[in-house]
Amino acid sequence: MIGGALGAFMGDVHRRAMALTGRFALTAACLSGHPETARAAGTALRLDPDRIYDDWATMARTEAARPDGIRLAIIVTPNYLHLPVAAIFLDAGIPVFCEKPLTNTLPEAEDFAARFAMSGDRMALAYTYSGYSMVREARTLIRSGRLGPLRSIQAEYLQDWLGASDAPGGWRLDPAKGGPGGCLADIGTHAFHLAEFVTGLRCNALSARVSRLVPGREVPDDAQMQLRFPGGETGGLWVSQVATGCGNGLRLRIFGEKASLEWAQERPEDLILSFPDGHSERIVRGATGVTAPSLLPRGHPEGYLEAFARLYTDLADRIEGRPAPLLPTLADGLRGQHFVAAALTSGAADGAWISLTP
């Protein structure tokens, strides 16, 4: 693991999720850019002192040369370090699991993707919500034709933790470290990826209103946009980190000719199908007929950590040579950067429609 010292939210989440799978163990780490912090954190996690590193370049070189070296590098650093760290480990022949967004800017992402085009399947992105069982069930239902031809896709991701002017946003509010995307990069990429992952549609244009609702803020904290799809389907996406009263309100609604479907991250165990005659059907994880794999039996709630663990299970399968077709890859990370860049461009042009690459 690179980054993720004790007390860092994402570092703790990754360690817990990998433990749930029973297929990973943390054996080496450079947990901070500050050597004393890195060593103290590694010691607290009971790592071999010889495998607690002060810098990631030494870690990559040393681990690649060991007969028992690491088989996966997990990157949980601030955004601006994602690609420099990933490049070092990929060059050393070590697969990478990286937090999103891929990086701070689209040109950086494109240059990296071109350089590692032949290694794309050795890099995965932590689009966590694609790991939820019922998100994967929704994807299956749509492909089975249960909703009929799709008409509209509505996604929203609402939080309120940055609502105060003195909110402790840290590097996420620093454009040099977190990038210019603000909420678009931090959580908007999740909502955009989820919409495309579940529906199988690719947005080809968007029109965005991008806002800094807290005075003095250098990066966006709210964005609302319209989406266009090649088949004439419409879409909407609202992402905010200043939506008072909202904790982690990721929600996806998909409207088809025969039925509509709704999934919400704060109620992740079921899908709601609604039909033109007014009746609704609740599909519960683990119920008869539900095909998406689960980690726990029905009635034992699965949540955020289990969704992460599903991605780690996919990673273990891929490392061991088995297919993992739903695992988000470098291509998904690049797609997220195209989304952020298009939304920022549109917002700066008063909502002009901006095309996305296919």
Side-chain angles (χ1 to χ4, degrees), residues 1 33 43 65 86 90 121 127 160 212 225 239 274 304 310 331:
M1 180 173 287
T43 300
L90 289 173
D121 62 350
Y127 283 115
D160 65 359
R212 295 161 181 80
M225 64 194 76
V239 55
S274 299
Y304 183 67
R310 173 57 54 193

Side-chain angles (χ1 to χ4, degrees), residues 34-100:
H34 303 285
E36 290 183 2
T37 302
R39 193 145 298 275
T43 300
L45 291 171
R46 301 181 179 181
L47 296 180
D48 179 340
D50 290 338
R51 302 180 81 175
I52 301 172
Y53 296 92
D54 294 341
D55 72 272
W56 54 79
T58 299
M59 178 180 170
R61 183 173 60 252
T62 303
E63 290 294 322
R66 291 178 64 113
D68 62 345
I70 60 171
R71 300 182 67 188
L72 179 69
I74 302 158
I75 301 175
V76 287
T77 64
N79 298 348
Y80 76 106
L81 292 174
H82 287 176
L83 294 192
V85 178
I88 286 173
F89 282 90
L90 289 173
D91 280 338
I94 298 170
V96 167
F97 187 35
C98 185
E99 267 300 322
K100 39 56 43 208

Side-chain angles (χ1 to χ4, degrees), residues 172-244:
R172 286 177 172 81
L173 297 180
D174 180 352
K177 293 184 177 180
C183 67
L184 289 163
D186 197 28
I187 60 175
T189 50
H190 274 304
F192 184 75
H193 176 264
L194 189 69
E196 293 196 334
F197 176 83
V198 171
T199 64
L201 301 177
R202 301 272 287 183
C203 174
N204 62 357
L206 61 79
S207 167
R209 178 179 178 181
V210 178
S211 305
R212 295 161 181 80
L213 297 180
V214 174
R217 193 155 280 172
E218 294 185 76
V219 295
D221 51 23
D222 186 278
Q224 302 180 39
M225 64 194 76
Q226 299 178 73
L227 309 177
R228 286 178 180 165
F229 297 88
E233 304 88 352
T234 65
L237 191 151
W238 177 24
V239 55
S240 181
Q241 291 180 308
V242 296
T244 304

Side-chain angles (χ1 to χ4, degrees), residues 248-303:
N248 200 57
L250 175 60
R251 182 169 69 149
L252 183 65
R253 292 181 295 166
I254 302 166
F255 298 88
E257 182 180 309
K258 297 180 181 178
S260 67
L261 176 154
E262 179 176 348
W263 179 83
Q265 197 271 159
E266 293 179 338
R267 302 185 304 278
E269 292 283 83
D270 52 50
L271 298 173
I272 304 298
L273 287 178
S274 299
F275 299 90
D277 63 5
H279 86 278
S280 295
E281 177 182 338
R282 177 171 173 256
I283 303 176
V284 180
R285 181 189 59 80
T288 301
V290 172
T291 62
S294 298
L295 297 176
L296 297 170
R298 180 170 60 90
H300 298 270
E302 285 189 5

Side-chain angles (χ1 to χ4, degrees), residues 18 64 204 230 316 322 349:
M18 72 172 77
N204 62 357
R322 289 186 290 276

